[in-house]
């Protein structure tokens, strides 16, 4: 049994008024890859759209290899749970994104949303308790659903419940930002699981330290970095859509070197400092002017939150400024692509000379692995030490300190001027490390954690 | 020997062109109080103004009971050291004030300022090395001068050098925001002392944890909270200036209850959430509308930094909004006093019914103790658990979670409605705890740390 906020399929209503399904967006279903396919797994998820709610009313659906049950939740309740608590609070605390003199504010508007979070978690738990098979292993995913296991403990002691936390985890100093009883509820909710998993040892240590500081007995923990589904991504890379996107990209870039980033326009991704570092690279290294393009394949995210709207505006202004400063009649330094076009992003990953992954903090970052796997030019990875994937790839990549703009500019220059022989060795080592694990390994790590119960 | 950025006296040029001295502003000289007076101590400090630089050119000066040597530093060098590094970087990292998606940025403008910090620290060390008496105990103060002892070690092994850090200290996660070699230099610089002191055990623990994470051997540490010079503050309270200010305040407040805050307009002081909590108090507790005034005695600070200008503007806008929402023909809810008027601030501390001290993080906070000592109405202290002084007073005060606006509003209501008998006991306990130590104890703790060398 899998439980997550976003399910593996989403529904739409076609022209004839009939419900159709398609594979859902978001990382979790692609991270499970084919591991769950055909296992008869049940997947409990929230109904995110009107069509989803229509489907939810009809009960469980067999589709895409899973048996899916969508929970229809009151939209107002869902908004408090999802926008205010999940995206506006828990995401911020685990990634350390708050402008502390101003945010967070736990005020009369916030507290009812916390009650919504409690209610949604309880609703998930009640549905799982009602419908999960006897003695099932239940894999609960991510910060949205920290309180499910606590409710299940009493109702269904036969179940084994494992949590996997996809984001970084806040250490004790960061957890102190949350109201005491909220922080304690979250930690106790996680501790009610038979085991809790994380992508990186740093996040596990932070969780343990936060438990210790709050006098909560930590549960069994495990570290299991997620992996790329190589077959699936290679299928996209071989697609006609991707070939067309690559041809268009080649026409734009020509024989110049290409730095690429592929990210949501997300506060934690450090997009501004990436462009500032590129600006500093062009200023301090005249040799690369006119010879390099920075392709930013960044797609909109969480546009309902004011912080994200402001961030996008700042990004666009900075791109305009850097381009205005350096562009020539035949060279635009930054190629800014703010559309969610997956084949085009994959084309960019095939073509890059340097892949910049510089988040201020990131649970894992699969783009770093995807790039290493499908890049066709022995490209160089410039990787933030604050990404979870630095645990697997950090020793092989060029390390980036995400706040050090000057240092990042120097890393980009080193990457652009690396010798062909060094690039071959660098890319081969990254490719090997990025394929060392498969989605089935990640899935099995969770099952093994359940078996150690 | 005392070494600090700001000295105990400052100079001015009078109408006749002659240099005159006056007691310097800032907390350190008042924190030492009379402890140093007449000990023949030498005090090395920076020349902060043109008049100070004139005085510096004339050599050491005996004034106000100290022998003062001011160091004339190039104004450009001083600006990089003071504005960019001390106030713009170290203050932010130790108080956790950064808006991480955007700041800090260690770029081509920042790195030369770091060199300035190194240069100024070296200049202080060279002057101390040249002029300090044999076998002297040198007390180096605060985050401005973390690198002095490292330079002194070689030049003057006869000296015993103790550091006292007046701010909170960044834990390992926060220290990771700094460039590696900068964080390491600061920790090694502090570790080069014979002992390092802090106001609160939390800051000492954070320092030790940061040393451990960076593989730096921590030096001997000690905890020594600073104390209020009771005689000095009572003299101000008895002054005619203070009496006049109190009379004017009484005329404005009348027989209403008075909540007071006395703070620099400083990002760490949490002034916005204080007003938001007051707004929520008025909304949720109609019983106190018209019956309470929030007197905010907040004075300008660091107006050369854009962050502080923006913060002041936000404060003023919020005050206007809350007053516009609630004011009646005969009641202005917030009395906003943005002038640096010490007797008036002391008058407010004599008069408050509730003192709000709600910083997001604070090295100590002497205002909490000062209020407890000179308040004349058995006033209630609402105290942030993130202030260093919570180590001494936290168990006696009403505790405030600085990010919990709703919780702060409830604490204010509890404070305003506390029974007279409880107020008497509350205020007496706080007064006793606030006078348990004197400046001489704090001074002696530093000397004892030196003797344990």
């Amino acid at each position: 049994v899998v439980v997550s906020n976003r399910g593996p399929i989403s529904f739409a209503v076609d022209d004839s008024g009939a419900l159709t399904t398609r594979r859902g967006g978001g990382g979790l279903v692609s991270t499970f890859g084919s591991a769950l396919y055909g296992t008869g797994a049940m997947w409990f998820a929230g109904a995110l759209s009107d069509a989803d709610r229509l489907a939810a009313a009809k009960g469980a659906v067999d589709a895409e290899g899973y048996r899916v049950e969508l929970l229809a939740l009151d939209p107002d309740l869902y908004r408090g749970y999802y926008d205010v608590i999940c995206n506006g609070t828990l995401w911020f605390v685990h990634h350390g994104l708050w402008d502390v003199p101003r945010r967070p504010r736990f005020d009369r508007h916030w507290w009812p949303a916390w009650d919504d979070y409690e209610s949604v978690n309880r609703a998930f738990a009640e549905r799982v308790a009602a419908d999960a098979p006897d003695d099932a292993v239940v894999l609960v995913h991510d910060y949205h659903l920290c309180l499910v296991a606590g409710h299940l403990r009493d109702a269904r002691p036969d179940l084994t419940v494992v949590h996997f936390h996809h984001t970084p985890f806040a250490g004790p100093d960061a957890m102190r930002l949350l109201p005491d009883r909220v922080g304690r509820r979250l930690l106790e909710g996680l501790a009610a699981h038979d085991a809790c998993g994380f992508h990186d040892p740093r996040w596990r240590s932070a969780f343990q330290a936060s438990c210790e500081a709050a006098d909560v007995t930590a549960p069994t923990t495990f570290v299991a970095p997620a992996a790329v589904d190589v077959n699936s991504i290679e299928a996209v890379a071989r697609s006609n859509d991707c070939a067309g996107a690559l041809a268009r990209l080649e026409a734009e870039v020509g024989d110049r070197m290409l730095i690429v980033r592929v990210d949501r326009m997300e506060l934690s991704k450090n997009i501004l400092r990436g462009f500032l570092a590129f600006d500093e690279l062009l200023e301090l290294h005249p040799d690369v002017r006119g010879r390099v393009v920075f392709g930013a394949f960044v797609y909109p995210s969480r546009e309902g939150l004011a912080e994200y709207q402001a961030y996008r505006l700042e990004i666009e202004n900075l791109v305009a400024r850097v381009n205005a400063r350096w562009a020539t009649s035949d060279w635009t330094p930054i190629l800014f692509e703010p559309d969610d076009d997956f084949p085009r992003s994959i084309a960019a990953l095939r073509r890059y000379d340097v892949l910049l992954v510089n988040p201020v903090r990131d649970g894992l970052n699969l783009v770093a692995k995807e790039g290493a796997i499908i890049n066709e030019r022995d490209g160089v990875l410039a990787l933030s030490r604050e990404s979870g994937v630095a645990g697997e790839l950090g020793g092989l990549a060029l390390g980036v300190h995400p706040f050090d703009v000057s240092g990042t500019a120097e890393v980009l220059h080193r990457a652009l001027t690396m010798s062909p022989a060094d690039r071959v060795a660098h890319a081969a080592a990254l490719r090997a490390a990025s394929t060392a694990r498969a989605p089935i390994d990640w899935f099995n790590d969770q099952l093994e954690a359940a078996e150690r119960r």
Side-chain angles (χ1 to χ4, degrees), chain A:
Chain A
V1 174
V2 176
V3 189
S4 67
N5 175 63
R6 184 188 295 267
I9 54 173
S10 61
F11 290 84
V13 178
D14 71 12
D15 294 341
S16 71
L19 277 173
T20 62
T21 67
R22 61 183 181 89
R23 201 176 180 204
L28 188 57
V29 65
S30 60
T31 307
F32 269 117
S34 54
L36 277 180
Y37 201 91
T39 59
M42 295 180 70
W43 195 318
F44 295 87
L48 307 184
S49 66
D50 289 342
D52 279 3
R53 275 184 287 273
L54 274 177
K58 302 188 179 205
V61 177
D62 290 300
E64 300 273 337
Y66 315 100
R67 183 167 179 79
V68 178
E69 281 196 40
L70 295 185
L71 274 74
L73 298 158
D74 173 73
D76 282 338
L77 192 75
Y78 191 81
R79 197 171 305 121
Y81 149 82
Y82 189 65
D83 287 348
V84 180
I85 304 300
C86 293
N87 288 348
T89 303
L90 301 182
W91 181 268
F92 276 66
V93 75
H94 288 308
H95 288 84
L97 297 176
W98 271 316
D99 178 16
V100 166
R102 297 169 181 88
R103 296 277 186 279
R105 290 176 184 169
F106 305 111
D107 59 14
R108 60 190 180 278
H109 308 296
W110 185 89
W111 282 100
W114 173 251
D115 294 338
D116 296 340
Y117 183 85
E118 295 256 13
S119 300
V120 169
N121 272 259
R122 197 178 314 111
F124 268 93
E126 284 167 1
R127 181 66 72 88
V128 174
D131 293 356
D134 287 350
D135 302 315
V137 171
V138 181
L139 307 180
V140 181
H141 277 267
D142 226 357
Y143 59 97
H144 312 82
L145 298 172
C146 290
L147 309 181
V148 169
H151 296 292
L152 285 179
R153 272 245 167 272
D154 299 329
R156 290 293 304 274
D158 60 305
L159 302 176
T160 303
V161 191
V162 173
H163 196 276
F164 197 90
H165 214 280
H166 289 260
T167 69
F169 206 91
D173 281 351
M175 286 297 284
R176 282 177 75 96
L177 294 171
L178 294 176
D180 289 335
R181 72 175 176 89
V182 169
R184 171 166 292 277
R185 278 288 286 158
L186 293 169
L187 293 171
E188 287 176 347
L190 291 169
H193 292 80
D194 294 290
C196 286
F198 302 89
H199 286 305
D200 189 78
R202 279 183 66 202
W203 315 144
R204 167 164 72 174
S205 300
F207 170 65
Q208 290 168 329
S210 289
C211 284
E212 196 184 325
D215 260 330
V216 171
T217 306
T220 303
T221 57
F222 63 103
V223 174
V228 175
D229 186 343
V230 175
N231 290 336
S232 152
I233 199 166
E234 286 186 342
V236 178
R238 282 192 306 268
S239 69
N240 288 337
D241 281 353
C242 186
L246 183 58
R248 288 191 298 279
L249 181 60
E250 292 285 11
E252 286 174 291
V253 175
D255 60 358
R256 294 190 172 94
M257 294 179 288
L258 179 64
I259 300 170
V260 160
R261 77 174 308 140
V262 175
D263 282 306
R264 286 191 296 118
M265 269 189 266
E266 159 55 55
L267 296 165
S268 64
K269 298 297 186 183
N270 206 16
I271 295 172
L272 293 171
R273 291 191 191 84
F275 291 135
L276 291 168
F278 185 60
D279 181 60
E280 195 156 322
L281 168 76
L282 296 176
E283 171 158 333
L284 299 181
H285 295 284
D287 54 306
V288 301
R289 288 181 206 157
R291 294 183 46 229
V292 60
V293 170
F294 188 154
F297 301 85
V298 293
Y299 41 100
S301 178
R302 301 185 186 172
E303 293 185 299
L305 294 186
E307 287 92 335
Y308 286 74
Q309 290 181 12
Y311 193 61
R312 178 176 178 154
L313 211 61
E314 289 167 74
I315 289 170
E316 290 173 350
N317 287 340
L318 181 56
V319 168
R321 216 173 75 204
V322 174
N323 276 341
R325 183 175 182 200
W326 299 108
T328 59
S329 59
D330 65 345
W331 171 55
T332 303
I334 299 175
L335 180 63
F336 185 67
E337 295 288 341
D339 303 307
D340 190 357
D341 181 341
F342 190 58
R344 184 166 169 91
S345 296
I346 296 296
L349 292 180
R350 291 171 62 189
R351 171 60 177 80
Y352 70 75
D353 296 287
V354 180
L355 178 62
L356 178 62
V357 178
N358 68 327
V360 299
R361 205 170 160 98
D362 206 338
L364 183 68
N365 198 296
L366 277 178
V367 172
K369 291 188 183 184
E370 289 168 348
I373 291 169
I374 61 166
N375 181 260
E376 296 165 3
R377 293 170 64 94
D378 296 321
V380 181
L381 175 61
L383 180 64
S384 170
R385 62 181 194 174
E386 303 297 332
S387 63
V389 77
E392 293 169 279
L393 306 184
L396 305 170
L398 300 189
V400 167
H401 184 306
F403 306 104
D404 187 352
V405 170
S406 296
T408 304
E410 287 313 305
V411 167
L412 290 176
H413 192 253
R414 272 177 60 208
L416 291 170
T417 54
M418 191 184 280
S419 74
D422 285 350
R423 283 173 64 123
V424 169
H426 173 95
L430 283 169
R431 203 173 298 124
S434 297
T435 52
R437 285 169 61 85
I440 188 74
D441 299 314
W442 180 69
F443 178 59
N444 285 338
D445 286 341
Q446 294 172 63
L447 293 188
E448 275 168 32
E451 279 162 18
R452 284 196 302 269
R453 179 192 187 177

